[in-house]
Amino acid sequence: MIHVIHCCSPDKRQVEVGTILEDYYNLLLEFANNSASSHCMQLQLAMISSVQDMLNCPDRTALQVIFIAEGTCETFIKLLHATQLEGEEAQSLGVSVIRVMSCLMCGSPTAKERFQQGNGYSRLATALKSLGDPSKALVTALLDLVVEDNYETGRLFTVRNAKVALILLQWLPELSTSDDSVNSPNLT
């Protein structure tokens, strides 16, 4: 639906993409406040990942601008703060949010700049810390965002999003040494 509306000429549209996104994000945040059941959590995760699908189009750059202007990153940070999920479920939510943010910022200096201007990186770090020590999946998602590619141990990458690398570096000393944490020797 987003693609169809976006491709229509402005005079033919009965609704703007931004209006749909605003309603979509409000519904997503409403689920966060009422996410007691696993069904709500699964629906929430599906809604988050569908944002990646919305950005998967030939005119991705223009949609990235619209999504940034409509406060996508801010909404997802609010979502992380508002979640009632804990443990593994909270980590899954964090991974989903980071994947969408990766999709949104990948190859878009404008998106990164706007996110930085809104103090987004520090707010993201605070929101992620509120979920507890990161799982391996969450750290991997953050590394994917750092290199704007699928991070794999042993490969050389160029850091494309240094602000996220700083989040990771600042977070490392605070982590516990549980089996699922970053400091664990089992992380490969």
Side-chain angles (χ1 to χ4, degrees), residues 77 105 111-113 115-126 145 161-164 167:
I77 289 171
M105 290 188 202
K112 291 179 213 165
E113 177 74 22
F115 191 60
Q116 181 177 346
Q117 287 173 348
N119 206 19
Y121 290 103
S122 64
R123 290 185 305 118
L124 175 63
T126 302
L145 182 54
N161 198 330
K163 296 292 184 184
V164 177
I167 288 173

Side-chain angles (χ1 to χ4, degrees), residues 45-109:
L45 292 175
M47 288 178 72
I48 293 167
S49 67
S50 71
V51 174
Q52 288 177 294
D53 297 335
M54 291 179 209
L55 288 166
N56 190 15
C57 71
D59 196 15
R60 177 185 170 122
T61 304
L63 273 180
Q64 282 175 310
V65 170
I66 293 170
F67 276 62
I68 290 292
E70 290 304 318
T72 302
C73 294
E74 291 78 8
T75 298
F76 286 132
I77 289 171
K78 284 180 193 173
L79 179 68
L80 291 173
H81 279 296
T83 189
Q84 297 173 12
L85 301 174
E86 296 178 350
E88 192 175 311
E89 291 177 333
Q91 295 295 309
S92 294
L93 176 67
V95 169
S96 294
V97 166
I98 294 301
R99 285 186 179 146
V100 170
M101 292 180 112
S102 291
C103 188
L104 190 60
M105 290 188 202
C106 184
S108 178

Side-chain angles (χ1 to χ4, degrees), residues 133-152:
D133 283 351
S135 63
K136 292 175 187 175
L138 182 58
V139 172
T140 301
L142 285 167
L143 289 170
D144 290 348
L145 182 54
V146 168
V147 298
E148 294 186 1
D149 197 354
N150 291 322
Y151 179 81
E152 296 174 24

